[in-house]
Amino acid sequence: FNFTYKPLRNAEGKVYAILHAAIDVTKQVQLQQQKDEFLGIASHELKTPVTSIKAYAQVLERMIRIEGDEKKANMVQKMDFQLNRLTGLIRDLLDVTKIQSGKMTFSPVKFDFDLHIKEIVDEMQHITSQHYINADLNSSSVVYADKERIGQVVTNFLSNAIKYSTDAENIDVKSFLKDNEVILSVQDYGIGISKESQHLVFEQFYRVGGNLQHTYPGLGLGLYISAEIVKNEGGRIWVESEEGKGSTFYFALKI
Ligand code: ADP
C-alpha cells in the first residue's frame, strides 16, 4: 500500500479534517515485475541466435579473405560490425534487468590490466577503419576485479568515442598509476558534452538531446551500466569534456 494524507482546511485556513488514502499498489508492482521479467527473457532469447549468426559471419569473412575477394569480405565485416552493435544492445538490456533486480554478479580474478586493455583496443580497432586508436599503457599493474566486466566498461568508452567522433581520426587510450589507483582514460576529439549535461550521462536512459538522437543511435544505457560496474568494484568513474572539442572518459580502480 502507498499511504498519503492531506489536511482539509476551511475558509480561515483551519484544518477541519484529514483525508487519508491508502492506494493498493500490488497490481502496479506485479506489472513492473512482469515487465522486468519479460525484458530479461526477451533479451536472453535474442542473444542465442545473434551469437550464432555472429560466429558464422566471422568464419565467412575469414574464408572470403582467403579466397581473396576483398569486396565481399568487407561486406561481411560490415555485417559483423552491426552484429556487434546488436549483441551490445541485447547485453545492455539484460544487464539493466540484472541491476534492477539486484542480480548482477561479479567474479573477481587477478589480471594484467594493460594486457587486457590492449586486447580490447585491438578488438575495437578491428571493427573501425575510420579511427586510429593509440594505446599508451603504463599502469604495469595486476588488478583484482571482474575482468569481463572491466572489459565491458572499456568497450563502452571506446564505442562511444568511435560513435561520437565521426569527423576525427584519433582516439587516445591511456593507463597509468596515480597514488593508490590504476586509472584508464579514453579521449576522443568529437562532439563533446556540454557542461550542463556532463553529470547526466551516467544516468539510466540519458541520451543526447534534440536532432542528435537520430544521428547517434543508442539506448542510453552503456554509461549507466559502466558506472554500476565501476561502483561495484569500489572504483570511480567520471568525464571531462568540452563541447565541440571532445571528451575524456575515466575510471579508477584501487589497487
Ligand atoms: P548511448 O550512447 O547509447 O546513448 P551511453 O550511456 O553510452 O548511451 O551514453 C549516454 C549519453 O552520453 C549519449 O547519448 C551521449 O549524449 C553522451 N556521450 C557518451 N559518450 C560520449 C562521447 N564520447 N562524446 C560525446 N557524448 C557522449
Side-chain angles (χ1 to χ4, degrees):
F1 284 96
N2 253 353
F3 295 98
T4 56
Y5 69 91
K6 188 178 178 221
L8 300 177
R9 295 171 195 276
N10 61 16
E12 289 96 59
K14 270 192 149 184
V15 176
Y16 66 89
I18 293 179
L19 186 69
H20 284 269
I23 301 159
D24 185 354
V25 290
T26 321
K27 192 81 196 146
Q28 276 161 265
V29 172
Q30 267 176 357
L31 276 173
Q32 182 63 37
Q33 275 170 356
Q34 277 172 356
K35 205 179 87 199
D36 288 348
E37 235 168 75
F38 171 76
L39 207 58
I41 295 168
S43 23
H44 190 78
E45 288 299 314
L46 286 167
K47 202 171 132 183
T48 321
V50 173
T51 312
S52 160
I53 299 171
K54 195 174 149 46
Y56 282 116
Q58 282 174 345
V59 176
L60 199 61
E61 187 195 331
R62 245 171 278 144
M63 283 165 67
I64 297 174
R65 286 218 191 272
I66 291 168
E67 285 166 13
D69 191 335
E70 283 300 305
K71 209 169 153 203
K72 270 192 200 151
N74 289 342
M75 281 167 76
V76 183
Q77 191 185 11
K78 287 202 175 102
M79 271 172 60
D80 194 30
F81 177 77
Q82 296 298 341
L83 284 166
N84 267 339
R85 275 192 51 205
L86 196 54
T87 322
L89 291 173
I90 295 168
R91 194 195 50 202
D92 284 357
L93 283 174
L94 258 175
D95 280 346
V96 168
T97 55
K98 280 186 199 153
I99 292 169
Q100 281 171 352
S101 57
K103 284 185 191 146
M104 189 176 231
T105 51
F106 288 84
S107 317
V109 290
K110 274 187 181 169
F111 64 92
D112 183 316
F113 191 73
D114 293 347
L115 207 64
H116 189 43
I117 304 298
K118 181 78 178 73
E119 279 165 10
I120 293 158
V121 167
D122 289 346
E123 230 171 77
M124 295 302 284
Q125 184 65 73
H126 179 73
I127 60 166
T128 172
S129 42
Q130 199 195 336
H131 291 88
Y132 180 71
I133 311 175
N134 304 295
D136 184 10
L137 307 172
N138 293 304
S139 85
S140 309
S141 300
V142 170
V143 300
Y144 183 68
D146 188 313
K147 191 175 168 185
E148 287 245 333
R149 291 279 180 207
I150 292 300
Q152 190 179 341
V153 179
V154 183
T155 307
N156 278 341
F157 281 5
L158 278 171
S159 39
N160 280 343
I162 293 170
K163 183 158 85 173
Y164 297 103
S165 75
T166 35
D167 294 335
E169 193 186 347
N170 285 312
I171 294 171
D172 292 317
V173 180
K174 289 188 180 131
S175 74
F176 52 95
L177 267 181
K178 198 171 174 212
D179 303 325
N180 286 337
E181 287 178 318
V182 41
I183 299 179
L184 179 106
S185 70
V186 174
Q187 179 165 21
D188 68 62
Y189 305 90
I191 62 168
I193 306 162
S194 68
K195 280 268 165 301
E196 310 84 68
S197 307
Q198 285 175 21
H199 69 286
L200 296 170
V201 295
F202 298 104
E203 281 181 14
Q204 193 180 354
F205 303 128
Y206 177 79
R207 302 229 48 233
V208 266
N211 306 336
L212 289 174
Q213 295 220 355
H214 302 291
T215 321
Y216 304 101
L219 294 176
L221 294 176
L223 289 177
Y224 163 71
I225 296 166
S226 301
E228 286 291 318
I229 293 173
V230 172
K231 273 187 255 161
N232 249 287
E233 298 285 3
R236 305 185 290 130
I237 189 166
W238 70 100
V239 60
E240 285 167 7
S241 181
E242 203 178 321
E243 231 176 338
K245 294 238 165 103
S247 313
T248 311
F249 279 86
Y250 297 87
F251 72 79
L253 298 173
K254 285 203 181 66
I255 56 160

